[in-house]
Amino acid sequence: MKAMTRLSLSVGFAASTLLSSSVWAVEAPIQPKVMLITMFAPEAQNWIDRLELKQEVRVPGLSAEYPNIRCNTQQVCLMVTGMGQTNAAASTLALALSPKFDLRKSYFLIAGIAGISPKHGTIGTTAWAHYLVEFGTQWELDSRDAPKDWPTGYLGINTKGPNEKPPLDYKTEVFELNPKLQAKAFALSHKVELSESKESAVWRLKYPSAPANQPPVVTQCDTLAGNTWFSGTRLSERAEVWTKLLTNNEGVYCTTQQEDNSTYEALLRASREGLVDVRRLAVVRAGSDFDRPAPGQSEVDNLLKYADQGGFVPALENLYRTGNPLVQEILQHWSAWEKGVPEA
């Protein structure tokens, strides 16, 4: 009996020791100082190569195409969400809920390509956003069935006409980013020299006025999200009106993309639970093609032949050139940024 007791005690002690070792072996969560958010592989590659994001961390719930977060030793990490609203929301929330990461003090930078308005930029222009506006949350009639005095078939949900601001019942129609962070990001990057290709430098000369026909620069204006990739003068003009309506005439539409309101909403929900701080989100978009043709050019070709504009590679390069000064500022002066965006 005593032998059995000693055996039981020995087994129990061994099991307890093994359990304790397993508990202590659990790695502490990664605490990124900066989390980069891109939507597909080409947007991610410059960051991966130049910041040496070599560590791969699999996070359940990310896109099957992009299942890993990549990090470096300086506490910069990168997520590729997958393209479109559904992928952006699902991947972002999966990351925010993952016990593998502690994101409470992390800064987030969305860096992606976009269509660009010739009224506020050119191919290769990078724009820091203040407002994120959702374009898809509208009523729509086929434009051929709309009243003749309507420029398109779009109008706000539960409104009587295209120039009436809708009730914001979905709560995701428009978001305002932290203006202090946007101002810091712009101040750090506005003198950066941006790139353009031979093709984009020629293409921009089709436009009769600045800034469309000038070399790209860093600017500040707002971005419009929607899964439908629209193109053309009338729809782009609707984007301008819609942005003004939803921001009480404060916003200025200049870039069009698919994901940013969805990404923001996922971060906002996580922020309410204390998992992230959504005030630490910045958004920069780079124009890879014009949202409308130059006067006298084909509306159809502007969409179907968008790649001929030559803006894809310069836009990817310019995202890195514009966003990296903010990343490096945060890393080099973490003591000033750790508690929030510095005043000075």
Side-chain angles (χ1 to χ4, degrees), residues 118 203 207 231-233 290-302:
W203 195 277
Y207 290 78
S231 176
T233 303
F290 284 111
D291 67 357
R292 71 200 83 182
Q297 302 296 309
S298 168
E299 299 279 349
V300 174
D301 286 351
N302 191 69

Side-chain angles (χ1 to χ4, degrees), residues 316-329:
L316 296 173
E317 172 65 24
N318 292 343
L319 285 172
Y320 176 80
R321 293 188 186 186
T322 304
N324 192 50
L326 176 63
V327 173
Q328 297 306 318
E329 166 68 18

Side-chain angles (χ1 to χ4, degrees), residues 3-39:
M4 287 296 293
T5 301
R6 286 197 296 271
L7 178 60
S8 298
L9 288 172
S10 298
V11 171
F13 178 76
S16 176
T17 302
L18 181 61
L19 181 60
S20 298
S21 299
S22 299
V23 170
W24 287 109
V26 174
E27 294 184 6
I30 297 170
Q31 298 177 307
K33 293 176 180 175
V34 178
M35 176 64 70
L36 301 163
I37 300 177
T38 62
M39 280 49 72

Side-chain angles (χ1 to χ4, degrees), residues 88-150:
S91 293
T92 302
L93 197 56
L95 170 63
L97 296 175
S98 173
K100 296 183 179 182
F101 287 87
D102 179 352
L103 303 168
R104 290 173 294 175
K105 294 183 178 180
S106 300
Y107 287 87
F108 295 86
L109 174 58
I110 297 174
I113 61 173
I116 185 82
S117 166
K119 295 183 180 181
H120 299 286
T122 191
I123 304 168
T125 289
T126 50
W128 293 101
H130 181 194
Y131 289 102
L132 310 179
V133 177
E134 171 60 53
F135 193 54
T137 309
Q138 299 185 68
W139 274 347
E140 181 186 8
L141 290 167
D142 188 302
S143 60
R144 293 165 293 187
D145 299 326
K148 292 183 179 180
D149 60 342
W150 290 14

Side-chain angles (χ1 to χ4, degrees), residues 270-333:
S271 187
R272 289 174 181 149
E273 300 301 322
L275 298 173
V276 308
D277 182 353
V278 76
R279 295 170 298 179
R280 297 185 179 213
L281 170 65
V283 175
V284 63
R285 286 283 177 169
S288 57
D289 56 280
F290 284 111
D291 67 357
R292 71 200 83 182
Q297 302 296 309
S298 168
E299 299 279 349
V300 174
D301 286 351
N302 191 69
L303 176 61
L304 300 185
K305 299 180 180 180
Y306 74 92
D308 293 351
Q309 298 180 31
F312 184 68
V313 172
L316 296 173
E317 172 65 24
N318 292 343
L319 285 172
Y320 176 80
R321 293 188 186 186
T322 304
N324 192 50
L326 176 63
V327 173
Q328 297 306 318
E329 166 68 18
I330 292 170
L331 296 181
Q332 293 168 18
H333 301 97

